[in-house]
Amino acid sequence: MATMTALRNRAITVSALVPAAALLLAGCGGGPGRGSAAEPSGGPSTGAAAKAAADDAAVPEATTFTTVEGAPADAGRDAADGLVVHPPKPLPVHDRPGGRRVATLPTEQLGGPTWVPVVESSGGWLRVLLPSRPNRASGWIPGDGLRTARTPYLVTVDLGDRRLTLHESGKAVGRWRVAIGAAATPTPTGRTFVMAQLAPKDKKLVLPLGAHSDTLDTFGGGPGTVALHGWHDPSVFGRAATHGCVRVPDDALRKLSRVPLGTLVLIND
């Protein structure tokens, strides 16, 4: 099982992530957009390799840029046990244990490693949250051969109070007033997770989540990914003023930078 320090240290690759960060930042704090309607190990035979390639081509990769049709919706609102997993090779994602394949879970997200939270298990199968549309998409992956870790952290965002709370080992270790989505572009609710850490040059850290705007299909050239990020004007905190992202104070951002990838984020009404 990976240590949390190692997991955090693998989260940021600044030079590789600048283009992705710029794209996603455009979807968090720039001008308004308009709504608009991916290597197997070992030595498989040629036939098996061809079938695997055909299966991969028939379904999308589960990333922030894709929509996964047929993915079971996650209706959960509670914290899980902190188990997060990383696929060392692309994995098939199914709609139920042993069921229909709906996606491929790649090894990377936005230039960093894929870590997703486990929210349910059945036999040797794990149900994980996906970073794709639609919001709250999940899927079942085989549990063998995964890298695993446990994060002690949980992030909760209470939209009614406009407050973010960071929990560590079940205890609140920070609570801040934040800015949330405006009425026309609300922050989506439900369980999601910290998908990546982006550190673009001369900009503050951005933590994209596995969630998207419910009202904007695209934003500023990006896919409408919701993120936790800082903001230059502190007067915004406590207001419903964003295009769906959660803007946080600098102190919150510093503490959130220690949160490992895959950590659950619960966004409540």
Side-chain angles (χ1 to χ4, degrees):
M1 180 175 288
T3 66
M4 287 298 101
T5 298
L7 189 54
R8 284 195 295 269
N9 289 344
R10 288 195 296 270
I12 303 176
T13 308
V14 176
S15 61
L17 296 182
V18 170
L23 184 61
L24 289 177
L25 277 170
C28 293
R34 300 182 64 87
S36 68
E39 76 205 291
S41 62
S45 66
T46 301
K51 183 180 184 302
D55 288 344
D56 287 344
V59 295
E61 284 192 324
T63 75
T64 193
F65 299 97
T66 62
T67 296
V68 176
E69 303 289 352
D74 175 56
R77 294 284 182 142
D78 299 322
D81 64 0
L83 178 63
V84 294
V85 296
H86 166 70
K89 62 181 180 180
L91 284 183
V93 180
H94 300 260
D95 62 353
R96 63 187 185 280
R100 181 171 63 92
R101 184 172 179 175
V102 295
T104 298
L105 187 65
T107 61
E108 292 189 353
Q109 303 286 339
L110 299 175
T114 295
W115 285 92
V116 289
V118 175
V119 295
E120 186 179 357
S121 62
S122 179
W125 291 82
L126 303 175
R127 184 165 68 89
V128 299
L129 299 187
L130 301 177
S132 313
R133 290 183 186 267
N135 282 333
R136 296 168 291 281
S138 69
W140 292 87
I141 60 174
D144 294 337
L146 297 169
R147 297 181 66 179
T148 65
R150 288 193 186 272
T151 170
Y153 291 98
L154 171 71
V155 180
T156 60
V157 179
D158 294 305
L159 301 181
D161 293 338
R162 299 171 187 174
R163 192 174 300 276
L164 181 147
T165 303
L166 177 62
H167 309 262
E168 183 178 4
S169 300
K171 297 181 180 180
V173 294
R175 185 176 285 113
W176 303 269
R177 293 279 277 178
V178 296
I180 63 170
T185 53
T187 301
T189 60
R191 289 196 293 197
T192 184
F193 63 100
V194 178
M195 176 183 61
Q197 290 189 1
L198 305 182
K201 184 177 180 181
D202 300 326
K203 292 184 181 293
K204 295 179 179 180
L205 183 70
V206 178
L207 305 178
L209 305 181
H212 297 79
S213 169
D214 282 325
T215 56
L216 300 172
D217 289 340
T218 62
F219 190 97
T225 305
V226 170
L228 309 177
H229 63 84
W231 198 248
H232 61 278
D233 181 1
S235 68
V236 76
F237 302 129
R239 296 169 52 198
T242 80
H243 296 102
C245 287
V246 178
R247 300 173 186 170
V248 305
D250 287 347
D251 179 55
L253 196 60
R254 282 193 294 271
K255 292 185 178 179
L256 288 167
S257 70
R258 302 198 297 266
V259 170
L261 301 183
T263 295
L264 272 179
V265 178
L266 308 183
I267 304 178
N268 306 311
D269 293 319

